Amino acid sequence: MPMLVLFLIGTLLAWYLVPAELEQMKWEVPGMPESYPIEQKCRPIFLLILCYLPFIGAVFYSFMGTMDRYMSRNFISYFLMCTLILLLIYILADFTDNMERFRSKFDDPVIQALKFYGSQMPMFLYQILPYTLMMGTMWCLSKLSGTCEITGMMQSGRSLLRLCMPIFLFGSLVAVSYGIFGFHWAPNGMLYRQIQLKQEKNADGTAQSIIYRSETYSRNWIIKHPSTIDDPGAPMKGLKIVQFEPKKHGALVRKYYADEAVWNKADSSWTFTNVYVHDIAPSGVKPTDAQFYPTLVCDFGEKPYQIISPGAGGRIDAMGTSVLYEYIKSGAGSREDRYKKRTEWHVRIARIFSCIVLIMLAIPSSVTFQRRGTMKGIGIAVILAALMLFLYRVFPSLGEAGIIQAWISAWIPNVVYTIIAIYLFRVNLAHRSFKEWLKARLRGEA
């Protein structure tokens, strides 16, 4: 019955979210759906997988034995409690910081706050999931170890690694969901956050003017009253569009002045109202007079979401992984910019595996076979996790500066902590404390 319920919930979520994501892509991704890059087409597929991950976990659970089920129930309950507690703390702290902004920027601050934090959930979960995995593992195993249940389980002939296989299994499912959040929805939440909280509005509630430069189409858009992030399809008013010659950098070709512009989702075209088109003649040729069109349809490749998004300041953490990959393939931008984006792309992949690394670190730190508490091992694990967070700041900075290869800078923390976890497992399986193991190593003993 629980497996059937999770399947129905996943189906309902997929029925609601996947079509909504396909619709959102029409506003965000340049071109028509049939011309979308494969990286963008993965978005609805990943979202579908995310909806059914709880059901997949229930299927694995149904094939487990009694001992594995007992371990799974303990781990899942403690992990969910840690995630819920940390998520509530995160939201309350963030709401306290931004409460005044909600009051001043919105007429209905309560509704807007609920909508805002609903959009931030993927980003918040992306920030905390690796650490709630580690905390849930330590809470679960320290509790079982304190009641000597781990010792009793191992008397059945199973090793510590075998006992913890359910934790690795469900931790892997959480790692998959973590990677899916980081693919698009966590950066998109950061983008929405930057636009909603940082972008100022006029006295009448309309968005302030923006300037958008399209490197792909060599066009500058200057819009006095753009549409908002909540309603990107609304008409944009007071436009000036400057067209440059792609093959001749800086050569001005044409200017458009329009009272209003509406994007047509059906054919990805723009309809301008009351347009003056001024063609800029080549040097030495008499320029043409401006021509007036009551209505003008242009097949410009830009989409409203792209034009509005640069208000976030172009932050890398507000760019989806698919966008980063497309940017890297294009080779556009300065050398430093390419280094930063390539490093960020590798870091997002490496952090998926950091979820498993932190579980490996938590297991030997929270299990003890001797008559002493587990707080010392847990304290060591917390310190190591904090240092891992520090390493994820230091080494990617070296990759962004081009000092070391991007993939090396992203994977060094995982490699270092995997080695540490293996050593801690060896110490724990030998029924010794970390201090005893260290003294033995200094004396040259095995």
Side-chain angles (χ1 to χ4, degrees):
M1 182 60 67
M3 188 163 54
L4 178 61
V5 170
L6 290 175
F7 177 78
L8 292 176
I9 293 174
T11 302
L12 290 174
L13 286 174
W15 176 77
Y16 174 75
L17 293 177
V18 173
E21 186 66 24
L22 290 170
E23 192 71 14
Q24 183 71 11
M25 289 171 62
K26 294 180 181 179
W27 294 96
E28 296 179 17
V29 186
M32 299 297 288
E34 58 271 12
S35 64
Y36 290 167
I38 186 64
E39 299 83 18
Q40 295 288 358
K41 291 180 180 179
C42 288
R43 281 170 50 179
I45 298 174
F46 288 156
L47 195 59
L48 185 67
I49 294 173
L50 183 64
C51 292
Y52 284 104
L53 276 179
F55 168 70
I56 295 173
V59 172
F60 284 126
Y61 181 85
S62 66
F63 286 99
M64 291 179 177
T66 303
M67 194 177 296
D68 287 335
R69 289 189 178 190
Y70 180 72
M71 182 68 76
S72 300
R73 287 196 302 271
N74 277 275
F75 167 72
I76 292 172
S77 60
Y78 287 122
F79 163 69
L80 291 178
M81 281 193 285
C82 289
T83 303
L84 182 60
I85 292 170
L86 202 57
L87 188 62
L88 286 175
I89 294 173
Y90 205 143
I91 292 174
L92 288 174
D94 190 81
F95 179 73
T96 303
D97 291 339
N98 296 309
M99 184 167 53
E100 190 59 36
R101 291 181 180 176
F102 286 119
R103 287 180 180 176
S104 60
K105 291 172 73 70
F106 304 111
D107 297 331
D108 49 351
V110 176
I111 301 299
Q112 290 297 326
L114 290 174
K115 183 178 179 181
F116 174 79
Y117 284 108
S119 70
Q120 298 301 288
M121 284 300 170
M123 188 194 74
F124 289 160
L125 290 172
Y126 187 74
Q127 297 289 336
I128 68 174
L129 275 182
Y131 305 101
T132 58
L133 268 176
M134 185 186 74
M135 292 166 59
T137 303
M138 290 192 298
W139 193 356
C140 169
L141 293 180
S142 62
K143 192 77 172 179
L144 295 176
S145 181
T147 57
C148 296
E149 291 181 77
I150 292 290
T151 303
M153 292 178 183
M154 294 187 67
Q155 293 301 314
S156 66
R158 293 189 176 186
S159 65
L160 180 61
L161 276 176
R162 175 61 186 86
L163 286 175
C164 294
M165 283 305 295
I167 296 179
F168 282 110
L169 174 62
F170 288 102
S172 299
L173 294 179
V174 175
V176 171
S177 65
Y178 178 80
I180 292 174
F181 285 140
F183 183 77
H184 172 75
W185 293 274
N188 192 64
M190 176 61 73
L191 176 64
Y192 185 85
R193 178 186 187 87
Q194 292 298 313
I195 293 175
Q196 286 289 74
L197 296 182
K198 304 297 184 183
Q199 192 178 61
E200 299 296 331
K201 293 188 177 181
N202 299 315
D204 58 357
T206 59
Q208 287 191 346
S209 59
I210 60 173
I211 299 176
Y212 170 68
R213 173 164 178 79
S214 173
E215 299 286 349
T216 305
Y217 301 103
S218 301
R219 270 192 293 269
N220 287 354
W221 294 64
I222 305 169
I223 308 172
K224 188 175 182 181
H225 298 294
S227 57
T228 63
I229 192 71
D230 293 321
D231 188 16
M236 300 188 183
K237 299 180 179 181
L239 294 92
K240 176 183 177 182
I241 302 174
V242 182
Q243 178 70 63
F244 295 92
E245 174 60 51
K247 297 181 181 180
K248 298 179 181 179
H249 182 68
L252 187 59
V253 176
R254 187 176 294 109
K255 293 181 179 180
Y256 300 84
Y257 299 88
D259 289 346
E260 186 178 278
V262 177
W263 184 71
N264 309 308
K265 184 171 59 176
D267 57 0
S268 292
S269 65
W270 287 87
T271 301
F272 298 94
T273 305
N274 296 330
V275 191
Y276 287 91
V277 181
H278 183 68
D279 289 322
I280 308 301
S283 178
V285 180
K286 183 179 179 179
T288 58
D289 296 329
Q291 298 184 19
F292 174 77
Y293 301 91
T295 302
L296 180 64
V297 178
C298 299
D299 58 346
F300 291 162
E302 297 89 341
K303 292 190 175 182
Y305 205 88
Q306 294 174 269
I307 297 172
I308 301 167
S309 298
R315 295 177 51 141
I316 294 180
D317 56 359
M319 299 176 64
T321 306
S322 57
V323 177
L324 282 175
Y325 186 69
E326 292 170 23
Y327 189 96
I328 294 169
K329 286 197 306 183
S330 68
S334 63
R335 183 180 180 183
E336 294 77 11
D337 198 35
R338 292 196 301 271
Y339 278 147
K340 289 180 179 180
K341 289 180 171 58
R342 190 179 295 113
T343 302
E344 175 67 18
W345 187 76
H346 284 287
V347 165
R348 289 187 188 179
I349 298 175
R351 281 183 175 172
I352 298 173
F353 294 90
S354 70
C355 296
I356 307 300
V357 173
L358 287 173
I359 292 177
M360 292 174 60
L361 192 67
I363 291 174
S365 302
S366 52
V367 174
T368 179
F369 302 101
Q370 301 180 12
R371 299 178 64 86
R372 59 170 177 265
T374 59
M375 292 308 299
K376 183 181 291 186
I378 292 175
I380 293 173
V382 171
I383 293 173
L384 289 174
L387 289 174
M388 186 178 189
L389 187 62
F390 173 74
L391 292 181
Y392 264 121
R393 298 284 185 179
V394 173
F395 285 103
S397 298
L398 298 177
E400 292 174 358
I403 298 176
I404 58 179
Q405 292 289 332
W407 68 272
I408 295 177
S409 66
W411 284 93
I412 280 180
N414 283 351
V415 173
V416 170
Y417 275 81
T418 300
I419 296 172
I420 292 175
I422 292 172
Y423 271 114
L424 289 178
F425 262 104
R426 182 180 178 185
V427 169
N428 198 286
L429 291 176
H431 294 194
R432 294 183 295 185
S433 68
F434 183 78
K435 183 178 179 180
E436 292 168 342
W437 172 83
L438 186 60
K439 286 181 179 179
R441 295 296 293 180
L442 293 175
R443 293 195 300 265
E445 300 176 3

